[in-house]
Every structure is written in structure tokens, then in C-alpha cells.
Amino acid sequence: MSPVGVFDSGVGGLSVLAALRAELPHENFVYFADTAYAPYGERGDAYVIERSRAVVEHLLREHGIKALVVACNTATTAAIHLLRADHPDLPIVGLEPGLKPAVASSRTGHISVLATRGTLASAKYANLRASFAGSADVRPVPCDGLVKAIEGFDSGGIAALSERYMAEAGPFGDGPGEVDTVVLGCTHYPLVKEELGKHAPATLRFIDTGVPVAQQTRRLLASAGRLADGTGAAGNLLLQSSGDVAVLEAAAARWLGLSATATA
């Protein structure tokens, strides 16, 4: 059975992969971490487009994927429209910061978005933000260095940067002018949600998009007649990396509790 391809610039997309495997337990997945060329979020659009196209060509050529999940906010904003034009017959699901559910659930109308500088500077994000103009006060917080710290298992760096960026995202609370909802606008950030939460009240809501992406993937597979038979065995998972495979294996073990061998 052909797999669903999932890719990110590194290990952040593992948070989306976890949601996909929970929603679609009978599907085969191949996860590609483009760590040799990461991080995408601090590069220009041309660079991200080139790498995204190269990764998708690899997934099609080597694995014959039947659908693609771009598990990277930066790659989605820079390249997904071109990937869809390149491969019109391939179901493709992308990510965007969860502003819609954040606006819907916020009681104070004050929301902060933690994301990479590339995502926040993109036209796609600007259009998304404009669509909610007047509905909420949305504060962008570019989190330089946080992806690199997560990729490097830098516990000290993760702790320091989490404290710094959550301070910029506040003040938190349920009172007038206080932020009660934080959007995790990069797939890496749900992996350190516990650390981020140390710097906010327990009432603060974090929004990420793993579950909605998994549900949309199911819908597209079903509409294309490519959904796996739900009566079969559990699907297989293949991990691949353009960089150090040991990093991906360690990340899968640390963040998801997966014991899996990665290949180059």
C-alpha cells in the first residue's frame, strides 16, 4: 500500500505525524526530515521552495506517495501553492497558524502567535491575519533560535528561549487587555508545550494544528478513493533524514516515544 508522505525541515513535524497516526492508524507513512538544510524558518522563500520541491520529488520517486502532508508552517506559506501546481493529482495538506480556532475560543480577544520569522513575514500569514482584522488583537512573536534548540536537544536553550518568548507573548490572564490564547505557529513548538506552559497560568490555552491537519488528510484521502481499509493491520512508518539519522531517531524516541530506525 502506497504511503502518505510527511515532511518538515527537521523534527518538528513529528508532532503532526503523531496526530496523523492516531487519526489514520492503518495508513503507511514515510516521514522525511530535511535536517541537512534546516532551519527553513530563517531562510528566504526561494530557498524553501527549492528544498520543498526537491523533497517532494524524492518522496514521489522513491516511495510513490499517494498523498502529501507539508508538516511545516514555513514550507506551507512559501511553497504549497507551487507544489499543488506541480502535482495536481496529488492530495496535498498544508499548515497555517491556528488563528481561526484561537479567535473563536478567546474570551479576552487578545491572542499571541509564536512562529518563525519566515512564517510571520509571509504574504500567506498577512492575508490570514487580515481576515481576522477587528475580531481580535493578534500579537506576533518571532521565536528566533527555538527551532534550533529543539533540534539540538538543547534543554538549557529551550528553557531560556521559552521564558523569553512567553514574556514577549504576555501579559497573560483573563482580564481586559490580557492574552488568554497562544497559537503555536510552528510544528516544533508543541514538542515543548510543557516548557512554554511553565511561564503562563494554567488557564492559558495553546492552539496547534496537528489534529485538524490529520482530519483534513483523512477527508482528502477518502474523496480521492485512497483511504486505507480500516480492517487491516496497523500501518508501517519509515523515517528518513537528509542529515544525521541519529538525530531523527533520538527525536522520535524523546518526543513521541517511538523506537524506530531512520535511513538516509
Side-chain angles (χ1 to χ4, degrees):
M1 181 174 63
S2 297
V4 175
V6 184
F7 90 91
D8 182 29
S9 61
V11 305
L14 292 174
S15 66
V16 177
L17 178 66
L20 286 164
R21 295 181 78 219
E23 178 72 21
L24 300 162
H26 302 289
E27 296 290 351
N28 293 330
F29 290 96
V30 54
Y31 180 90
F32 190 91
D34 199 21
T35 50
Y37 300 90
Y40 286 0
E42 295 166 28
R43 311 272 191 165
D45 280 1
Y47 180 94
V48 176
I49 290 166
E50 179 185 359
R51 286 310 308 159
S52 297
R53 281 175 156 162
V55 170
V56 175
E57 290 296 336
H58 166 80
L59 290 171
L60 285 167
R61 183 179 65 252
E62 300 296 327
H63 303 288
I65 59 170
K66 64 179 181 180
L68 174 73
V69 177
V70 183
C72 174
N73 292 83
T74 302
T76 297
T77 57
I80 197 166
H81 60 297
L82 297 173
L83 298 178
R84 286 175 172 148
D86 292 343
H87 309 285
D89 296 327
L90 182 69
I92 299 177
V93 182
L95 277 72
E96 63 181 22
L99 279 184
K100 183 176 181 179
V103 170
S105 65
S106 176
R107 296 183 299 272
T108 67
H110 290 267
I111 296 161
S112 289
V113 180
L114 306 185
T116 66
R117 195 168 293 275
T119 292
L120 295 174
S122 69
K124 189 176 180 69
Y125 174 78
N127 291 335
L128 177 66
R129 173 66 190 90
S131 70
F132 294 102
S135 302
D137 176 74
V138 179
R139 180 181 308 166
V141 181
C143 299
D144 296 338
L146 186 53
V147 166
K148 184 177 181 180
I150 295 169
E151 293 275 343
F153 306 106
D154 179 2
S155 297
I158 290 169
L161 291 171
S162 294
E163 182 178 14
R164 172 184 169 185
Y165 294 133
M166 288 297 282
E168 293 180 17
F172 301 120
D174 294 320
E178 293 180 325
V179 171
D180 67 350
T181 305
V182 169
V183 175
L184 301 178
C186 171
T187 55
H188 285 74
Y189 303 166
L191 301 176
V192 295
K193 182 164 65 174
E194 182 177 344
E195 186 65 40
L196 294 167
K198 291 178 181 179
H199 308 289
T203 55
L204 183 74
R205 282 185 297 276
F206 287 102
I207 304 289
D208 71 75
T209 53
V211 171
V213 164
Q215 293 169 340
Q216 175 66 0
T217 302
R218 172 184 282 279
R219 286 191 289 269
L220 287 185
L221 286 170
S223 66
R226 300 180 185 182
L227 190 64
D229 183 349
T231 62
N236 298 318
L237 171 63
L238 174 65
L239 301 176
Q240 280 199 313
S241 175
S242 60
D244 186 348
V245 296
V247 171
L248 180 55
E249 291 173 351
R254 174 169 179 175
W255 303 120
L256 300 185
L258 289 175
S259 178
T261 300
T263 61

